[in-house]
Amino acid sequence: MPDTPRTAHAPAAPEHAAGTMPAHTVGPASGSASDIPHSICFLVRNPHDNPENGVALARAALGMGLAVAFGAAATLALHGGDVTCSVHTVTQAARQETAQAASCADTNTGGAASGTQAARPNHSTRPDHCAQPNNPACFHDLHVAPQGRTVPLASFGHVQVLSFGPRASFLDYLQLLRLLAEGVPVTNSPDALMHLNSKYLMAGMGRLFPTPLTHASTDADTLWSVVSQSDEPWIVKPPAEAFGRDVFLISRADTNARAILQSMTGHGTGRYCLLQQYVPQIRQGEVRVLLAGGRVVGQYRRRAAQDHRTNLAQGAVSEPCELTPEERALCDRLGTWLLERGVVFAGVDLAYPYIIECNVLSPGGIATIAELTGHDLSGTVLRGILGIP
């Protein structure tokens, strides 16, 4: 898998249940045809359930003249040597449909604002999730085909992975993506998704990037011995999880500390757990930095509000921010390092001088930055993904 997306075009995109995918056209401001693939498939968890980042990036891709589809990640398969997937064509919705969706959303918002959640109508082709037309995550102007069609993914010019599908199939999924990457650009690269999706690799890069001191083990007593000999607090979390799930703050004075470690290591069943030094800088907030094509494209600050976690899904609050020259230099250096490893879209959690985490699977931030600043970064992110200046 190359470090940057290839520009050679794959065979023409196939016909789908909703009709033939539109031919590739390039507008005056889109660059040359050799810079842009003819089509792109976004692998998502559910094509009809507001796939994170998928809607924003699909809109940007349509604006660049690409044929666009959502692929259901759980349907990835191998047929006769071809990696296939059930894909749903994504097109611009008709103006009448867009206006109707916005009207429905306004009605729903009114019900919610009055304290009662209004029932949402059943839009079989484009469910409504948002009452903000300028939000890059809403479906108002997109039509997602109600039925998918199984096709070889190599028929697309580019495949962008936004979901892994079922956890139990993780290894098979990555191996199929690795095979697919032999014939079509896949981002982020399967190798990066395999090794950087967990928190191990970055934890071992202390010689290159400042990271909190980290221990990992399947043995609760081993981890407790670290905590019990320290006066400092520690963070306990899974090696590969998201949204702040199962993230605990413990210390040796915490009477639940050993019980938490025992639970997180699966009570002797061989489950790995990370023990990470708690850095005091995070009390001032954690900065989520979006990187696309190896460079910084946006950022915002998250502050813990309900407990120690700075995840928005756990009640943290967000605010606009600027990077200091030192923070930007660190992120620029990290962006180059990631790009060399096939990571073209990433979200870095930064509590300077420490890199807390590096998120390489559909990192959140595009919608948040749009809400905070009114600036939609989806086009900038997509150009970084495709390697277009």
Side-chain angles (χ1 to χ4, degrees), residues 111-130:
S114 64
T116 303
Q117 180 65 47
R120 286 177 172 161
N122 181 19
H123 297 297
S124 61
T125 61
R126 187 217 31 78
D128 174 59
H129 289 275
C130 173

Side-chain angles (χ1 to χ4, degrees), residues 347-371:
V348 177
D349 294 335
L350 183 67
Y352 190 82
Y354 296 103
I355 294 171
I356 305 300
E357 287 185 12
C358 185
N359 303 272
V360 298
L361 178 67
S362 192
I366 294 177
T368 301
I369 290 173
E371 292 167 4

Side-chain angles (χ1 to χ4, degrees), residues 129-218:
H129 289 275
C130 173
Q132 302 173 16
N134 294 324
N135 188 327
C138 59
F139 274 65
H140 290 167
D141 59 345
L142 298 183
H143 176 98
V144 181
Q147 301 297 324
R149 183 176 179 183
T150 299
V151 299
L153 284 176
S155 60
F156 290 90
H158 196 100
V159 174
Q160 176 68 29
V161 183
L162 299 179
S163 173
F164 282 145
R167 183 183 293 270
S169 305
F170 171 78
L171 186 57
D172 300 270
Y173 187 83
L174 263 293
Q175 290 174 338
L176 287 170
L177 288 178
R178 183 64 185 82
L179 174 60
L180 176 65
E182 290 292 317
V184 63
V186 177
T187 53
N188 288 322
S189 78
D191 289 345
L193 292 172
M194 178 71 188
H195 299 296
L196 275 163
N197 183 60
S198 74
K199 301 171 177 65
Y200 294 123
L201 187 58
M202 287 307 303
M205 291 292 110
R207 67 188 184 280
L208 298 176
F209 304 103
T211 56
L213 180 64
T214 303
H215 303 267
S217 178
T218 61

